[in-house]
Amino acid sequence: MLSDCHDRLENLQKVLDQIQDAGVALFCGDYCAPFTLKALATGFPGPLHSVFGNNDGDVFLLLRIAQQAGNVTFHQPMASLELDGRRVAVVHYPEFGQALALSGQYDAVFSGHNHTAEAQMVGATLWGNPGEVMGRFGQPSFGLYDTKSNSFEIRRI
C-alpha cells in the first residue's frame, strides 16, 4: 500500500525492495510524473491497483504506461476490490475514505493525500493511510495490509 510518491524514486526503490512478496500492490494516488508509475509497474511483479491523485498531471501518458506494463489497473474515482474475500476500497482523498469507512460496506478502506500515516477502526471497517513515499512532511512510509487478519502495518522507510 503506497501513496504520494511525488517522483521520489530513491524512496520508491526502498519500498519496492520490501514489497516483492506482496501479492497485490495498492496505490492511493500522486505518482506525479509518469516515469514514477513506470518504475513502480516494472519494479513490482504482481498486480497494481491505483487511483489518481490531485498531482497526477499527464493522465493520458499514465494510462498508456499502465496499458504497456500489463499489471496496472487504474480505477476512477475509487477502487472497489475484493481481495481474498475482503471488500477493499482505495481512494485518494481522506474525506472520501472516511465516508466510505463510515458506510460499513467495506472491510478496509485506504486513502492518501494528507501524507499522514495512520490506521484506525471506524465501526467494523479498517481505515488506513500509508503516509507518503515522498518524505517531504515527515518520515517516508508505506503500509502492509493483511487480508487474513484485516490488519494494517505502517512501515517507515
Side-chain angles (χ1 to χ4, degrees):
M1 172 72 54
L2 299 88
S3 189
D4 296 280
C5 196
H6 293 270
D7 299 338
R8 293 295 303 266
L9 294 181
E10 68 281 6
N11 287 349
L12 177 59
Q13 186 57 56
K14 292 174 186 176
V15 173
L16 285 168
D17 292 343
Q18 297 183 55
I19 65 168
Q20 291 300 300
D21 295 332
V24 175
L26 305 175
F27 193 85
C28 299
D30 279 0
Y31 294 101
C32 288
F35 65 77
T36 303
L37 169 60
K38 187 171 185 175
L40 179 56
T42 59
F44 182 72
L48 168 62
H49 293 276
S50 183
V51 297
F52 290 103
N54 60 303
N55 285 298
D56 291 322
D58 192 340
V59 173
F60 176 77
L61 187 52
L62 284 165
L63 291 172
R64 191 166 81 195
I65 288 170
Q67 183 180 31
Q68 290 170 346
N71 64 332
V72 179
T73 302
F74 270 102
H75 304 265
Q76 189 63 15
M78 61 170 274
S80 182
L81 308 165
E82 184 172 318
L83 302 173
D84 297 330
R86 296 280 186 185
R87 296 163 299 155
V88 177
V90 179
V91 66
H92 184 63
Y93 295 101
E95 298 84 358
F96 298 126
Q98 182 181 32
L100 289 167
L102 285 167
S103 78
Q105 296 180 37
Y106 296 94
D107 296 301
V109 175
F110 300 101
S111 57
H113 182 64
N114 65 7
H115 298 235
T116 304
E118 59 188 338
Q120 60 183 288
M121 293 302 295
V122 177
T125 301
L126 169 67
W127 177 30
N129 183 327
E132 58 174 345
V133 173
M134 179 186 194
R136 178 177 177 202
F137 299 107
Q139 180 71 33
S141 63
F142 66 100
L144 293 176
Y145 173 58
D146 185 333
T147 54
K148 288 183 176 63
S149 63
N150 197 42
S151 62
F152 184 63
E153 175 189 351
I154 295 167
R155 290 210 179 159
R156 305 292 177 193
I157 301 171

